């Protein structure tokens, strides 16, 4: 009986998959790997952290631009 090898994503793969999903460019192969071998909680945490970092980054950029223009 042949066992199906599950390709478990590592930390870097989870980060890349989260970023790709956020921008809507996730490949079908990576999506299948994430659904079959990944832990849902890792992706939930990665998604929350990505969202927080994204919001903080946009806020800092906006404040910097407004300050540079004297507003």
């Amino acid at each position: 009986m042949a066992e199906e090898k599950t390709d478990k994503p590592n930390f870097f793969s989870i980060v890349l998959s989260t970023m790709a999903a956020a921008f809507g460019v996730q490949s079908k192969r990576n999506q299948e790997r994430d659904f079959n071998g990944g832990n849902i909680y890792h992706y939930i945490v990665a998604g929350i952290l990505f969202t927080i970092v994204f919001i903080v980054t946009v806020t800092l950029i906006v404040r910097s631009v407004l300050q540079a223009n004297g507003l």
Side-chain angles (χ1 to χ4, degrees):
M1 186 167 160
E3 290 184 28
E4 187 175 312
K5 181 183 175 190
T6 57
D7 186 19
K8 293 198 178 228
N10 58 22
F11 174 77
F12 188 68
S13 296
I14 292 172
V15 170
L16 286 178
S17 289
T18 302
M19 291 175 63
F23 294 107
V25 294
Q26 181 73 300
S27 71
K28 184 72 172 168
R29 190 185 101 221
N30 288 345
Q31 182 183 18
E32 289 176 3
R33 180 204 60 214
D34 295 342
F35 281 111
N36 293 331
N39 184 341
I40 185 70
Y41 299 111
H42 295 158
Y43 291 98
I44 290 171
V45 170
I48 290 170
L49 289 175
F50 176 82
T51 302
I52 291 169
V53 169
F54 180 78
I55 290 171
V56 168
T57 302
V58 170
T59 302
L60 291 174
I61 291 171
V62 169
R63 284 186 180 185
S64 175
V65 169
L66 290 176
Q67 187 178 20
N69 289 317
L71 299 176

